[in-house]
Amino acid sequence: MNDGKGDVWIEAGFTELARAGVEGVRVEVLAKNLGVTKGGFYRRFADRAALLEAMLVHWREGRSASIAEQTSLDGQEPRERLRAVIQLYSERLNPEGMAIELAIRQWARSDESAAAAVASVDAARLQHVVELYRATGLDTEEAEAQAFLFYCFIFGQSLLFIERGPRKRSQLVAKSAEKLLG
C-alpha cells in the first residue's frame, strides 16, 4: 500500500492495536473512529487480513529505518552515538510507541507473520548496535553480548516504573549508560 491512501487506515489500526490489541483492530471499529463508512476501507484493502499485513510491513520498515538512522555515525564516535541512542530512548519516553511495540509483541505470540516482523526488527536493531560496538574495537562475540545488554536496557528501562521521580530516573539511566559504554 505505497499509494498513501491506506495510511489513515494503518494509523487508525495502530491506534486501536495499542488500545485493544490485535483483536480490537476491526474494520467497523476503525471506520467509526475515522468517521467514515466501511466502503472506504474496502477500496484500499481486500479484507482485515490485508490491513493487518500492511500494518506489519509499515511497522517493520519504519522500525528498521529508524534504528539505521539512529545508529548512523554521521561523523560521531561510536560511543557518542551509543550515548545519543540511550538519551533518545530514555529522555523522550513515547507511551504510544511503546504501547504499539508491546501490542505487536503480544500479537507475535500467536501469529507467525507478526512473529516474523518482530524477529526482523529485533535482528536489525541488534545488528546496528553490534556494528557500533564493533566500531569501538570489540570483537564480534563481545559486541553481540554488549548489543544484547544495550537493547535489553533500552526497552526494559522504558517499562519500569521508577518510584523515586524523574531526577532519580535520569541519574539511574546515566549511571547505567556509563556501564554499557565503559
Side-chain angles (χ1 to χ4, degrees), residues 6-26 29-34 51-52 55 58-59 95-101 103-104 107:
D7 289 351
V8 68
W9 290 97
I10 291 171
E11 290 306 317
F14 282 127
T15 299
E16 202 56 32
L17 179 70
R19 191 189 71 74
V22 71
E23 299 80 19
V25 181
R26 297 190 333 264
V29 172
L30 300 182
K32 181 180 177 193
N33 291 349
L34 291 169
L51 169 66
L52 294 176
M55 288 172 60
H58 183 85
W59 181 78
E96 183 183 357
M98 205 59 208
I100 292 168
E101 178 93 19
I104 288 177
W107 177 13

Side-chain angles (χ1 to χ4, degrees), residues 1 4 14 41 45 71 118 127 129 145-146 151 176-177:
M1 191 66 43
F14 282 127
F41 173 85
F45 298 97
T71 58
V118 169
Q127 188 54 46
V129 176
Q146 279 297 109
Y151 188 39
S176 299

